[in-house]
Structures are given as C-alpha cells and as structure tokens.
C-alpha cells in the first residue's frame, strides 16, 4: 500500500512539473485530488485496511496529500508568473527600435531671404511692419499721391474686390504694392519712423517667366529730421553687401513714382561680375534693383506728418526678383508652383 502511494506521488509530481499551462495543471489536480481523484479513492479505502496498518498508512496518505497540494499551488504560482512576464514582454516597447521617419520640410527660399532681409535691416534700427493684403483704395492709391484719375494707376493693373465702395476709403483692392503700409504706419506711430515692410502684392498680369499675379515686395521708409538721400545710399549699400556677402556699390538714376519727389531708381553693382560686365547685367556692370525717392509732402500729410518738420525717403524692391537673382531662378512661376522637385533644392 505504501509503495502504491509512493508511486502515485512520484507520478503526480512528474505531471505537475511537466504541466505547460494552468488548464493542464487543473486537470491533473482533478485527476489526483478531485472528489473522484486517485488519492481520494485511496483515502476512502483506508477504512478497509487492517487495524494495525490503518494509522501508519493513514498518516502517510495525509502527508502525500499535503505534499501534492503544495506542489499544485507552487506550480500554479509559477505558471501565473510566467504568464504575466510573457504579457509584459509582448506589451513592452523596444526603446532601441528605430522610429518611423517623418519628412520635415524647410523654409521656402522666399521666406529664408525675407528673414535675412529683416535681420539685416533690424541691425540698422528698422522695425518690421505689416499691413493687410486686402487694402482700401485710399491707402493703396489716393494717399500715395495717386488719385483716381492719375495715369500712374495704369501701371498697376488692379484686382478689385466685388463690393460696394466706401465713401471715404474707396473700393477694396488686393494691394498692388506694399507702399500703403507707409500710410498705415505713419498714421499709427507718427514720426520719426524706420520700417521695412515685406509682403505679398497682387497684379492682374499676363503670366510668363517674369510676371506673376502674386509676388513679394519689401517696402522701406525712414522719416526723421534732416534725412537725405545720402542715408538711403549708405543703408542700401550696407544692406546689399551684407546680403550678398561681398562689397556692393549702388547708384541712383532719375525715376518716376507719384509718391516720391525727387524719385529715383537704384542700381546695384552686379553681384556676379562685380561690375566688370557679364550676362546677368547685360554687360553694363549694373543691375536694376528698386524704386525710391524722397517721400512726397502730400504723402507725409496723408500720414499725419508735418512735411515742414520731417522728411524722409522710401523705397520698394521686389523680394521675388531678389530671390530669383540670388539663386539664379529664371522662371518666376517656379517659386509659387508648389513643385517639391524645385523647393527641395534649397
Ligand atoms: N511701390 C512701387 C511699385 O510697386 C515701388 C516703389 C517705388 C516703392 C518707389 C517706393 C518708392 O516706396 O519710393 O512699383
């Protein structure tokens, strides 16, 4: 009998040890210790044993029962721990795994150049001012010394907003130039002033490699007591030399713009050949850069500034054209075309 019990214990312990999961273990438990289990059967049979054997075998059976119960509990704990570990392993994040790659964009060449322009002017004490792209006719034209009948309006084929005109402010237009921000800034801050105004402007152009309906300009305005064109020459030579990182000279030619008097065109020495003459400057050594002049007294007055007390100069250049010159882009349409094969080159 004792041997039978010992064999049963060995057999059960082996099965417990080899159990792969809780289910299997449970089945073994039922098989040995359940109500109709093998060990239970033996314990039931104790009463049929002869009197002298009963106490020893009885005791022994109980020891075995206890052993098995303990073994089951222990194995159960082990299997549960294993399961938790496995779940954790499946849930865990491998922090050394390479991440998904995102394509990060970069600033457009127009923006890059704009920031550089802003930085350089900032260094010379200029603030960056801003104005709306949908502008009133009064600021875009009238206050800039271009009344409705002025022939210079023809030079800027204008997009009008389809809305009734305001008696004082006129019609709404997509601003054709950044110059209206001169008026806005004068009205807001008065004199003295030192600002640049980078921004988008719009004209109803026939599109080709040199003309777009939307392009960018930078306006400049410096107003104070005793300001002359000499300051403009100095500021622009400094600005262009900083931007192109080489010495650039500037020269004035007479030019006409209704909002300045005298008006002028500013040329810069060619940044490709340093003035020797090449394809870019058409052998002249000079590249046309911008319009400028001394702010017309009527414009100062429109901005609420007394022309007898203050004077100043203004300028306007094409940021888009500057970017094209700078990077050798020969078709303006590339800049706003949104073609990544183009923009990714910068
Ligand atoms: N607004 C002019 C244009 O778009 C450019 C310009 C010329 C601006 C002379 C000025 C200036 O401030 O003084 O053609």
């Amino acid at each position: 009998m004792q041997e039978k019990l010992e064999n049963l214990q060995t057999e059960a312990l082996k099965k417990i040890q080899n159990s792969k999961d809780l289910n299997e273990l449970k089945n073994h438990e039922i098989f040995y210790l359940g109500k109709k289990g093998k060990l239970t059967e033996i314990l039931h049979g104790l009463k049929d044993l002869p009197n002298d054997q009963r106490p020893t075998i009885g005791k022994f059976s109980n020891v075995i029962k206890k052993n098995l119960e303990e073994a089951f509990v222990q194995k159960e704990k082990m299997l549960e721990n294993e399961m938790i570990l496995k779940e954790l392993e499946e849930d865990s994040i491998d922090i050394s795994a390479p991440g998904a790659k995102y394509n990060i964009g970069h600033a457009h060449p127009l923006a890059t150049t704009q920031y550089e322009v802003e930085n350089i002017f900032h260094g010379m004490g200029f603030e960056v001012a801003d104005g709306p792209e949908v502008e009133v006719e009064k600021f875009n034209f009238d206050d800039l010394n271009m009344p409705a009948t002025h022939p210079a309006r023809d030079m800027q084929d204008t997009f009008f907003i389809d809305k009734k005109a305001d008696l004082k402010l006129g019609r709404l237009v997509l601003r054709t130039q950044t110059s209206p921000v001169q008026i806005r800034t004068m009205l807001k801050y008065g004199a003295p002033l030192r600002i640049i105004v980078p921004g988008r402007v719009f004209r109803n152009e026939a599109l080709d490699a040199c003309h777009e309906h939307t392009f960018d300009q930078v306006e400049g305005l410096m107003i104070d007591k005793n300001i002359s064109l000499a300051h403009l020459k100095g500021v622009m030579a400094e600005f262009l030399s900083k931007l192109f990182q080489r010495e650039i000279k500037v020269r004035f030619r007479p030019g006409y713009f209704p909002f300045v008097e005298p008006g002028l065109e500013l040329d810069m020495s060619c940044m490709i050949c340093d003035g020797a003459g090449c394809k870019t400057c058409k052998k002249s050594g000079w590249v046309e850069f911008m319009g400028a002049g001394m702010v017309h007294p009527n414009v100062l007055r429109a901005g609420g500034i007394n022309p007898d007390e203050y004077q100043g100069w203004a300028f306007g250049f094409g940021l888009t054209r500057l970017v094209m010159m700078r990077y050798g882009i020969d078709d303006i349409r590339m800049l706003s075309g949104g073609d990544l094969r183009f923009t990714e080159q910068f």
Side-chain angles (χ1 to χ4, degrees), residues 156 176-177 179 182 203 217 219-220 257 259-260 291-293 314-316:
Q156 301 182 359
T176 57
Q177 48 189 352
S179 308
Q182 285 188 32
R203 290 183 198 175
Q217 288 188 334
E219 191 83 11
F257 301 94
F259 28 87
V260 281
F315 66 76

Side-chain angles (χ1 to χ4, degrees), residues 3 35 61 92 124 141 151 159-160 164 175 194 264 275 284 291:
E3 206 183 314
K35 264 189 194 150
S61 313
S92 69
M124 294 191 277
F141 292 122
F159 290 115
F160 289 94
K164 215 171 144 236
R175 68 175 178 195
R194 237 188 270 188
L264 54 94
S284 73

Side-chain angles (χ1 to χ4, degrees), residues 74-269:
Q74 245 176 32
K75 182 71 180 180
E76 191 180 17
K77 273 188 191 152
M78 224 173 91
L79 285 173
E80 271 170 3
N81 280 345
E82 267 172 26
M83 240 167 63
I84 291 170
L85 277 178
K86 212 169 145 204
E87 267 171 27
L88 277 179
E89 214 167 84
E90 281 164 6
D91 268 4
S92 69
I93 299 164
D94 178 1
I95 55 164
S96 69
K101 251 196 176 169
Y102 291 98
N103 279 333
I104 302 171
H106 61 79
H108 189 278
L110 259 173
T112 314
T113 306
Q114 182 182 322
Y115 298 151
E116 278 177 52
V117 170
E118 288 176 3
N119 266 336
I120 298 171
F121 275 102
H122 218 190
M124 294 191 277
F126 285 74
E127 292 278 331
V128 177
D130 201 7
E133 291 177 350
V134 177
E135 185 54 280
V136 291
E137 203 176 354
K138 178 172 153 65
F139 292 159
N140 195 82
F141 292 122
D142 300 76
D143 284 357
L144 292 168
N145 210 23
M146 291 166 90
T149 52
H150 200 292
R153 281 208 187 186
D154 283 353
M155 295 193 302
Q156 301 182 359
D157 203 344
T158 310
F159 290 115
F160 289 94
I161 303 285
D162 197 7
K163 219 180 150 203
K164 215 171 144 236
D166 181 274
L167 221 55
K168 280 197 187 132
L169 302 173
R171 290 169 285 180
L172 284 178
V173 301
L174 292 188
R175 68 175 178 195
T176 57
Q177 48 189 352
T178 41
S179 308
V181 187
Q182 285 188 32
I183 305 290
R184 286 179 174 274
T185 318
M186 286 191 262
L187 289 174
K188 192 165 177 190
Y189 300 108
L193 268 184
R194 237 188 270 188
I195 55 156
I196 57 159
V197 186
R200 274 204 299 190
V201 301
F202 312 86
R203 290 183 198 175
N204 186 12
E205 302 275 3
L207 307 189
D208 61 30
C210 307
H211 297 91
E212 256 282 25
H213 49 67
T214 303
F215 54 99
D216 285 66
Q217 288 188 334
V218 178
E219 191 83 11
L221 179 67
M222 182 167 185
I223 294 176
D224 210 328
K225 294 177 173 165
N226 303 317
I227 292 294
S228 80
L229 289 175
H231 299 118
L232 175 62
K233 226 175 175 177
V235 165
M236 290 315 289
E238 174 75 6
F239 160 64
L240 289 167
S241 299
K242 280 234 166 88
L243 186 74
F244 287 102
Q245 293 180 342
R246 61 203 298 159
E247 202 194 328
I248 303 274
K249 294 193 187 77
V250 296
R251 73 173 185 188
F252 290 156
R253 281 179 294 115
Y256 175 72
F257 301 94
F259 28 87
V260 281
E261 179 59 37
L264 54 94
E265 302 265 356
L266 182 142
D267 297 339
M268 58 183 277
S269 55

Side-chain angles (χ1 to χ4, degrees), residues 7-75:
N7 285 342
L8 185 115
Q9 172 170 260
T10 322
E11 180 192 303
L13 286 176
K14 212 174 193 170
K15 286 201 174 150
I16 291 171
Q17 200 181 12
N18 291 339
S19 289
K20 299 231 163 33
D21 55 46
L22 289 172
N23 233 347
E24 190 185 340
L25 187 71
K26 195 82 209 159
N27 285 339
H28 293 321
E29 195 178 353
I30 293 168
F31 183 79
Y32 290 105
L33 302 179
K35 264 189 194 150
K36 291 177 184 161
K38 270 196 155 177
L39 186 66
T40 322
E41 219 171 73
I42 290 173
L43 289 172
H44 280 319
L46 281 181
K47 60 180 189 314
D48 302 329
L49 284 177
N51 276 348
D52 58 337
Q53 281 185 27
R54 208 182 298 147
T56 359
I57 299 292
K59 230 179 186 175
F60 191 58
S61 313
N62 277 325
V63 171
I64 287 187
K65 191 180 174 203
K66 232 176 156 186
N67 284 348
L68 289 185
E69 276 170 355
E70 258 168 35
F72 273 115
V73 169
Q74 245 176 32
K75 182 71 180 180

